[in-house]
Amino acid sequence: MSPPTSSPKSKAGGGSLASVQEHARSDSHSTCHSLGHDDHHAGGAEALRLTGPDGQTKIYDDGIVRKRTNIENVVLDRGDAAHQIAQALPKEITMVPKVDLFLPEALKDAIFVGHIVTDLDSVGGAIAAAALYGGKAALASEINSETEFALKEWGVEKPPTIEEVLKENPNANICLVDHQQTSQMNPNINPDNVVGVIDHHALQSKTIVTDRPIYIDIRPWGSMSTIIAHTFLTHQRRPSMGVAGMMLCAILSDTLNLQGPTTTEWDRLVVAVLSEIAQVDDIQFLATQQFKAKSKELAGLSAHGLVNGDQKAFSFKTEKFQGDVGFAVVETTDDAVIIDRLDELLPEIVACKKEKEVSALFLAVVNIVSLKGTLLLCGPTELSLAKVAFPECNETSTIMDLGNRVSRKKDYIPAITQAIKRGWSKPMNRGQSTVDIASLGKLEVDPLDPHQRVVRRGSVLTPSHISNHT
């Protein structure tokens, strides 16, 4: 598996998220990774230590009892296998390749870089791939708060930007990680220099086209970092603790703590093995702290940042509809904080839709604790398409309850695709838009904001415009 150096924080906590954090705060001397034990039970050592008489609960010193979480049960079920796999790896970190397994020469000394609006899987996977293949990791864009947490937690240095790297070596070989669409590629990258792709997403519109054969490793797993970790294992290579920790956090992020619909058995096993290599004793606490860091930033983002933070566009062409559908996702532990900003978000969705010239634009707010999704609808087109794609879901004119649908890749886009393929077309009586591009205002950096967030100023759009816009 993969692995930078670590220095995590502390143990787990009570039944609710708040009580978990309270326990974590009160136990300042414990760490989520061990400083000396040989068997970490794949991240479940703390759950075993606090096991109640029924074998399925955790009893804390103050008498609070809570059931083991899904992720604790997952790693404990695979603890023996994970321990054996980790023990079988060489004790020393080695770069010696196995002659009977393929390691592409083109990736040696390559630059490994993820997609723009970069996330933890893009950064953690790039760091791990660079360690595995002997290259260098780079950032396609600035990191988010969750990635910042992971880098600090595992003592891993933040990679340079791709612009900095290419300034030193403009013709460097590039390996794309966690994406393969040109629309998600940093514009400074020359497609002719791409020598590899490591990804876990579907091949859709704008997939990169090359003039020569390149290395491709695309697997239908929950995280790109799972692929890198699996390659470490099959080559009998032991990643450093820091690299292992980064991959572990990346997988937890992309699979929503192994509870998301894209999670596979490979992801579960690899998480258990990485927890063993990274010496994690309390995986639930690590996951809680990580997602707390992730949702902290989302609550403070501007409407523009929320709408554009994780947005992808998908192209369609049928007899009744031709155009692009944009789909943005916001993942948070407190969806109410985001949904309460509906009057601010809907005009921004409309503005972004006009600027990017897409036929429809959705924003899904996903609660990563309760695993519930809510879809924001900025106009009649979105409402019409959502009703066809999710006919059993309850909705108002601006909000649809998606229930336990939480994955853009598995739940949202396949349903939208099927609705369009079955003959959906844009409603004809949606009214005439009275808003032009010049009226959308300007995007500016707020000089009073310490985070320098981008905000829209001077837009004529208000919630009252929404019903006539799309």
Side-chain angles (χ1 to χ4, degrees):
M1 246 130 281
S2 49
T5 357
S6 65
S7 58
K9 304 298 177 213
S10 209
K11 300 184 180 178
S16 65
L17 177 61
S19 60
V20 169
Q21 295 165 348
E22 184 60 33
H23 274 272
R25 287 191 292 269
S26 66
D27 194 1
S28 59
H29 297 292
S30 60
T31 58
C32 71
H33 80 289
S34 167
L35 298 179
H37 302 125
D38 291 331
D39 191 348
H40 310 280
H41 297 281
E46 183 68 3
L48 285 178
R49 187 182 74 82
L50 299 175
T51 297
D54 62 356
Q56 295 298 316
T57 56
K58 292 172 70 174
I59 301 180
Y60 296 91
D61 294 339
D62 57 7
I64 292 180
V65 179
R66 75 158 170 84
K67 293 179 65 177
R68 285 180 183 165
T69 62
N70 174 73
I71 193 171
E72 288 169 334
N73 285 324
V74 165
V75 297
L76 286 172
D77 287 346
R78 293 156 182 82
D80 289 344
H83 182 69
Q84 292 173 25
I85 292 171
Q87 288 298 307
L89 294 174
K91 297 302 180 185
E92 299 296 325
I93 298 170
T94 174
M95 295 297 291
V96 178
K98 297 281 290 184
V99 294
D100 57 336
L101 291 172
F102 175 63
L103 277 175
E105 278 294 320
L107 298 191
K108 188 177 181 181
D109 298 324
I111 307 303
F112 295 86
V113 59
H115 50 76
I116 55 176
V117 192
T118 196
D119 58 14
L120 182 48
D121 197 28
S122 268
V123 177
I127 290 171
L132 173 65
Y133 293 108
K136 185 174 185 178
L139 300 175
S141 59
E142 261 309 309
I143 62 173
N144 58 28
S145 57
E146 182 186 32
T147 306
E148 184 178 17
F149 161 83
L151 290 170
K152 182 178 179 180
E153 182 77 0
W154 296 103
V156 177
E157 185 177 351
K158 177 182 169 183
T161 65
I162 187 64
E163 289 86 354
E164 292 172 314
V165 175
L166 292 178
K167 188 175 182 180
E168 295 180 3
N169 186 2
N171 296 316
N173 286 340
I174 302 291
C175 180
L176 305 179
V177 299
D178 202 30
H179 74 297
Q180 22 70 20
Q181 293 179 304
T182 55
S183 58
Q184 298 176 37
M185 194 167 69
N186 183 290
N188 291 281
I189 296 174
N190 182 350
D192 292 337
N193 292 334
V194 173
V195 297
V197 170
I198 306 173
D199 192 21
H200 67 122
H201 295 97
L203 298 173
Q204 301 203 359
S205 60
K206 300 179 181 177
T207 294
I208 188 170
V209 176
T210 63
D211 292 332
R212 64 188 188 282
I214 65 173
Y215 177 75
I216 300 285
D217 189 352
I218 298 179
R219 311 183 202 180
W221 294 355
S223 166
M224 187 275 295
S225 291
T226 306
I227 300 172
I228 302 298
H230 182 266
T231 306
F232 263 106
L233 293 178
T234 56
H235 285 73
Q236 282 288 292
R237 294 270 298 279
R238 177 181 289 271
S240 69
M241 186 186 293
V243 172
M246 288 299 296
M247 288 192 291
L248 172 61
C249 286
I251 299 169
L252 294 180
S253 177
D254 258 26
T255 64
L256 300 181
N257 284 358
L258 300 179
Q259 295 185 84
T262 62
T263 308
T264 68
E265 180 56 29
W266 289 110
D267 300 300
R268 299 183 184 98
L269 177 61
V270 166
V271 160
V273 177
L274 287 175
S275 297
E276 194 72 21
I277 295 174
Q279 301 181 16
V280 173
D281 283 342
D282 194 345
I283 194 168
Q284 183 58 48
F285 176 73
L286 175 63
T288 298
Q289 293 300 97
Q290 176 177 318
F291 282 106
K292 181 182 175 184
K294 182 176 186 175
S295 60
K296 182 191 304 182
E297 181 178 80
L298 292 177
L301 282 174
S302 67
H304 178 77
L306 290 169
V307 173
N308 290 274
D310 182 11
Q311 184 187 129
K312 296 181 179 179
F314 302 85
S315 299
F316 300 93
K317 184 177 182 180
T318 67
E319 290 184 3
K320 294 187 176 181
F321 173 74
Q322 180 175 349
D324 294 334
V325 174
F327 210 106
V329 175
V330 172
E331 294 179 342
T332 177
T333 58
D334 190 355
D335 52 339
V337 171
I338 307 299
I339 297 171
D340 284 347
R341 298 170 63 181
L342 188 66
D343 286 351
E344 179 187 0
L345 289 169
L346 289 178
E348 182 59 37
I349 297 173
V350 172
C352 182
K353 175 180 173 180
K354 272 194 167 288
E355 289 172 340
K356 297 193 174 181
E357 299 181 337
V358 293
S359 300
L361 179 58
F362 296 96
L363 173 62
V365 181
V366 176
N367 188 311
I368 57 179
V369 176
S370 62
L371 295 179
K372 300 293 183 183
T374 302
L375 193 61
L376 305 192
L377 309 169
C378 72
T381 297
E382 287 74 16
L383 177 61
S384 170
L385 180 52
K387 282 183 173 181
V388 177
F390 310 103
E392 67 280 15
C393 294
N394 297 321
E395 89 288 331
T396 66
S397 61
T398 55
I399 288 182
M400 174 176 281
D401 181 358
L402 294 173
N404 62 359
R405 297 170 179 83
V406 295
S407 170
R408 174 171 49 199
K409 184 170 71 171
K410 186 169 183 178
D411 295 324
Y412 303 153
I413 297 307
I416 294 290
T417 300
Q418 287 303 311
I420 293 174
K421 287 183 176 180
R422 287 196 299 264
W424 175 84
S425 60
K426 293 180 70 171
M428 300 302 296
N429 60 342
R430 62 187 186 277
Q432 183 67 33
S433 174
T434 58
V435 179
D436 58 28
I437 292 292
S439 303
L440 298 180
K442 293 183 178 180
L443 294 174
E444 301 176 356
V445 176
D446 185 352
L448 301 179
D449 184 353
H451 299 286
Q452 297 291 287
R453 294 183 174 92
V454 176
V455 295
R456 186 181 300 276
R457 301 191 189 281
S459 174
V460 301
L461 288 173
T462 65
S464 62
H465 286 91
I466 303 303
S467 60
N468 289 327
H469 166 68
T470 52

